[in-house]
Amino acid sequence: MNPILFDLKRSILSKSFIAILVMMLALSSLVGYFIKKITGVSASGNVISQEILFLTAIAIILGIFIPILGLLMGYFYYGKDRLTSVLESVMVQPVTKMRILLSRFVVGVLAVGVAALITIVVMDGFAVSYMNFSMPLDFIASLVAAYFVEAAFFVGIMILLAHVVKTPTALLSLLIVIFLLLDMFYTTIVQIVIFAINPSNISTFMLDSYIVNPTYYSLITSYVFTKEISVSVYTVVAAGLIWTIVPVSLALYLGHIRD
Amino acid sequence: MIEISELTKSYGRSSRPAVSNLSLTVNDGEILGFAGLNGAGKTTTIRVSAGIIYPSEGSVRFDGNDIVKNKTGASRLIGWVPELPNFEPNVKPLDLLIYYAGFHGISRTESENRGKELLTQVGLDGHLNKKLREYSQGMKKRFSLAAAMISNPNNYLLDEILNGLDPEGIKYVRDLILSFKKEGKSILLSSHMLNELESVADRIAIINKGKLVRIINRADLKSTGKFTVTVQVQNPDDGVMNILSKYGKVEASGGRFIISELNGKDAGVTGEINSELISRKYVVSGINTESEGLEAFFFRSIGDGQ
């Protein structure tokens, strides 16, 4: 069996993958159900389309879970294996360390991408059957592409950090810190910074703060389509390339120079 | 053939190298025992050789393939058994063997058949449905042997392979190592169990504080220059001790006297002792020499190296 297929099967059948996928599907379905129930009328009386509410809700749910899944895939299928010596039994096989690192990175990104794709496709089916609309194809494509970028960053950063720390506990602690800082409390942190430095143009500052955080990459990507906030395609592409390439490249470098 | 040339491995700039300028060759069909105290550098040498960590200086080649410059080519020729095997815990043994075989380009059917055969051979056929996290250390050791043999390599790096095995396992592994030798494979066998090394190794390399102290042929252990003389006297008294103490350090037990530390004297000294005792009217019922074992030789060697 091809070792990459084996790794992919192992990660997709893992408890962490299945648990997060189930949570994403359950939460998205639940949110869709409530959106349908409240029939899309906001408290102020402005009509908000069910479609926009539902798409936004899915983007938010995936925006929370995709980084966790990326971090967990990087942790379980490279970081922990490396720090508990499990990877040594693979390193003695006829394969280079760089290839092991890259293949685990690709497998992690693919697994996260598969989870995002499954969620979006299932939710599209949900929207068609329950809410009588279909998600726009360009929305699906851009969202999936954006989640691949986020996955690449979070899997890559775990692989990179596995070459810096010495124990699985330290790596797990960093995983939690990264998740809390970049995902859960980022908006709060930005608001505190805005309050502290009082920038001249708050909306530009907010946009910049989103661009420098890969967790918000899908949101930035969606601005290209919705034109809600003006952001250039070049900026989005450049940010995507940076988040995809930089962490894994640094990890490759450290993997090459360190044991 | 395994060729380790001027290998040095340092973990930090300030600390003493774990292995320093080590050169060893393991010929085809040879078992080279690798003996040393904890922290002597045995495991580091094996980990560098297996391609797990990089050497600081020097090289390791397997049948001419350098483990750093041609990692893939060299790794095809190696079977590695670690001191403390650690495998992906949530996988069944046969699946993991098939995964490893995939790196060697072995087809699924072939690797499945070979994997089953090897797991039976190492005594794990009754545990195929368990995941590796349920395996004991001894079972993991047996599994790591099967993993090392999956590609039928020419060279084996066995690190404390006998640790954690029951007596039956030790006998099995000993016989297996000897069968590797018969097949013309090269085996680097590190062990704390000096009597086991003595019983299987063709040569024994003694390493201390990262440096090779000496290499000795198993046959040469009988003539390391160090020996003891045992004398049996039927009518012993204090005079016997006085006579024998001229030859070395004497320990007495009834009529049995063991003379050690016979530095500067060869085995011919027994004739001299016998003649002197008889001339003083003692009845000598037996006198013989015995070479020191590997253990005594080992401690004397690392003592010299310190």
Side-chain angles (χ1 to χ4, degrees):
Chain A
M1 180 188 240
N2 184 309
I4 291 185
L5 288 179
F6 178 92
D7 284 330
L8 188 60
K9 187 179 149 196
R10 193 164 65 104
S11 48
I12 286 177
L13 294 178
S14 68
K15 284 177 190 163
S16 51
F17 179 89
I18 292 170
I20 288 182
L21 180 60
V22 168
M23 276 195 274
M24 288 196 295
L25 290 171
L27 260 176
S28 304
S29 309
L30 205 62
V31 167
Y33 172 78
F34 282 115
I35 287 171
K36 172 86 173 172
K37 281 278 175 201
I38 61 169
T39 65
V41 180
S42 72
S44 60
N46 296 325
V47 176
I48 300 172
S49 96
Q50 280 185 2
E51 186 176 339
I52 288 178
L53 262 180
F54 185 64
L55 297 183
T56 308
I58 288 189
I60 290 169
I61 290 165
L62 288 176
I64 292 169
F65 283 102
I66 292 298
I68 303 178
L69 193 56
L71 290 168
L72 288 177
M73 289 293 117
Y75 173 76
F76 280 118
Y77 298 104
Y78 187 86
K80 192 179 169 206
D81 279 3
R82 177 181 150 74
L83 295 169
T84 55
S85 307
V86 165
L87 213 53
E88 288 180 3
S89 60
V90 182
M91 284 155 78
V92 295
Q93 305 304 328
V95 61
T96 61
K97 287 180 190 176
M98 300 299 103
R99 195 148 175 200
I100 296 171
L101 191 155
L102 268 180
S103 75
R104 297 265 168 140
F105 169 75
V106 169
V107 163
V109 174
L110 278 178
V112 180
V114 165
L117 194 62
I118 290 173
T119 308
I120 291 170
V121 168
V122 171
M123 284 308 107
D124 186 45
F126 179 88
V128 169
S129 60
Y130 188 65
M131 303 168 96
N132 299 318
F133 74 89
S134 178
M135 290 187 195
L137 201 61
D138 55 355
F139 170 81
I140 292 178
S142 67
L143 212 54
V144 170
Y147 289 133
F148 267 104
V149 170
E150 289 186 18
F153 174 81
F154 286 104
V155 174
I157 203 81
M158 274 290 107
I159 292 176
L160 170 63
L161 291 171
H163 287 271
V164 177
V165 300
K166 301 276 183 204
T167 64
T169 314
L171 188 62
L172 194 61
S173 308
L174 282 175
L175 181 156
I176 294 165
V177 169
I178 289 169
F179 173 69
L180 291 177
L181 283 180
L182 295 187
D183 205 348
M184 294 303 284
F185 299 120
Y186 189 72
T187 315
T188 313
I189 293 167
V190 170
Q191 282 166 350
I192 291 168
V193 173
I194 287 172
F195 181 75
I197 66 171
N198 194 19
S200 55
N201 189 336
I202 291 178
S203 63
T204 307
F205 185 85
M206 286 293 283
L207 180 65
D208 290 345
S209 72
Y210 288 159
I211 288 173
V212 298
N213 182 349
T215 312
Y216 288 82
Y217 188 70
S218 51
L219 183 71
I220 297 291
T221 308
S222 73
Y223 290 156
V224 174
F225 291 89
T226 60
K227 298 192 171 42
E228 195 181 326
I229 295 175
S230 174
V231 56
S232 81
V233 177
Y234 299 114
T235 307
V236 173
V237 171
L241 285 174
I242 288 169
W243 299 137
T244 307
I245 294 168
V246 171
V248 72
S249 301
L250 286 173
L252 280 169
Y253 174 70
L254 284 186
H256 180 67
I257 62 164
R258 290 187 179 182
D259 286 330
Chain B
M1 179 190 265
I2 305 169
E3 296 164 276
I4 301 174
S5 308
E6 296 172 0
L7 179 69
T8 297
K9 176 64 186 176
S10 303
Y11 288 108
R13 284 177 192 169
S14 55
S15 58
R16 164 180 75 79
V19 176
S20 182
N21 203 30
L22 179 77
S23 294
L24 291 173
T25 300
V26 190
N27 298 309
D28 292 341
E30 184 185 38
I31 302 169
L32 179 70
F34 202 29
L37 299 173
N38 288 337
K42 305 188 298 292
T43 297
T44 297
T45 303
I46 287 182
R47 282 162 63 82
V48 171
S49 303
I52 296 165
I53 51 177
Y54 295 118
S56 304
E57 283 171 45
S59 66
V60 182
R61 289 196 299 276
F62 295 88
D63 300 337
N65 294 277
D66 190 292
I67 191 65
V68 175
K69 292 176 186 158
N70 181 14
K71 163 77 173 63
T72 311
S75 292
R76 282 188 198 285
L77 306 167
I78 307 171
W80 169 71
V81 177
E83 182 179 4
L84 297 167
N86 203 3
F87 298 103
E88 160 56 39
N90 296 312
V91 178
K92 289 180 182 171
L94 185 58
D95 291 338
L96 201 54
L97 286 186
I98 293 169
Y99 173 60
Y100 294 150
F103 288 103
H104 292 270
I106 302 170
S107 73
R108 190 185 166 95
T109 317
E110 194 186 339
S111 57
E112 196 169 337
N113 292 336
R114 183 155 172 74
K116 279 180 188 166
E117 190 183 301
L118 286 171
L119 290 169
T120 305
Q121 198 182 325
V122 298
L124 292 174
D125 46 333
H127 307 279
L128 296 184
N129 288 322
K130 285 183 183 168
K131 290 189 174 172
L132 283 156
R133 65 166 180 257
E134 298 168 62
Y135 272 30
S136 68
Q137 196 58 34
M139 288 161 82
K140 282 183 187 168
K141 206 93 184 196
R142 286 167 185 259
F143 175 76
S144 67
L145 247 178
M149 292 191 284
I150 191 75
S151 64
N152 192 22
N154 282 335
N155 307 284
Y156 284 92
L157 301 167
L158 310 177
D159 191 4
E160 299 288 354
I161 191 171
L162 301 168
N163 278 7
L165 291 176
D166 53 25
E168 186 214 347
I170 290 175
K171 184 184 180 311
Y172 167 73
V173 169
R174 191 195 300 135
D175 293 345
L176 186 70
I177 293 169
L178 290 170
S179 75
F180 287 160
K181 174 183 154 74
K182 273 187 194 160
E183 288 169 24
K185 299 178 188 303
S186 313
I187 301 122
L188 180 60
L189 172 66
S190 121
S191 181
H192 286 107
M193 299 167 83
L194 298 176
N195 56 337
E196 286 297 336
L197 284 185
E198 202 173 359
S199 67
V200 294
D202 298 300
R203 291 184 298 146
I204 296 160
I206 296 175
I207 182 173
N208 188 40
K209 293 182 178 172
K211 290 181 180 166
L212 183 66
V213 177
R214 63 189 65 178
I215 302 179
I216 186 164
N217 289 320
R218 185 152 55 110
D220 291 345
L221 274 175
K222 291 185 175 126
S223 55
T224 55
K226 293 284 176 182
F227 60 95
T228 57
V229 175
T230 305
V231 183
Q232 295 270 8
V233 179
Q234 286 185 0
N235 52 341
D237 59 21
D238 291 346
V240 178
M241 281 295 275
N242 291 335
I243 293 166
L244 297 182
S245 57
K246 288 192 297 189
Y247 296 95
K249 186 181 166 189
V250 185
E251 286 174 45
S253 171
R256 190 162 178 264
F257 298 85
I258 299 170
I259 314 167
S260 58
E261 296 181 16
L262 288 131
N263 289 342
K265 293 196 167 58
D266 60 26
V269 76
T270 51
E272 201 181 316
I273 293 169
N274 194 31
S275 303
E276 188 165 357
L277 288 171
I278 289 170
S279 70
R280 304 282 181 93
K281 310 291 180 202
Y282 290 108
V283 181
V284 178
S285 56
I287 181 162
N288 56 59
T289 60
E290 208 169 278
S291 294
E292 66 180 345
L294 177 59
E295 191 171 298
F297 179 70
F298 171 79
F299 283 110
R300 188 159 60 80
S301 298
I302 64 166
D304 292 350
Q306 281 174 339

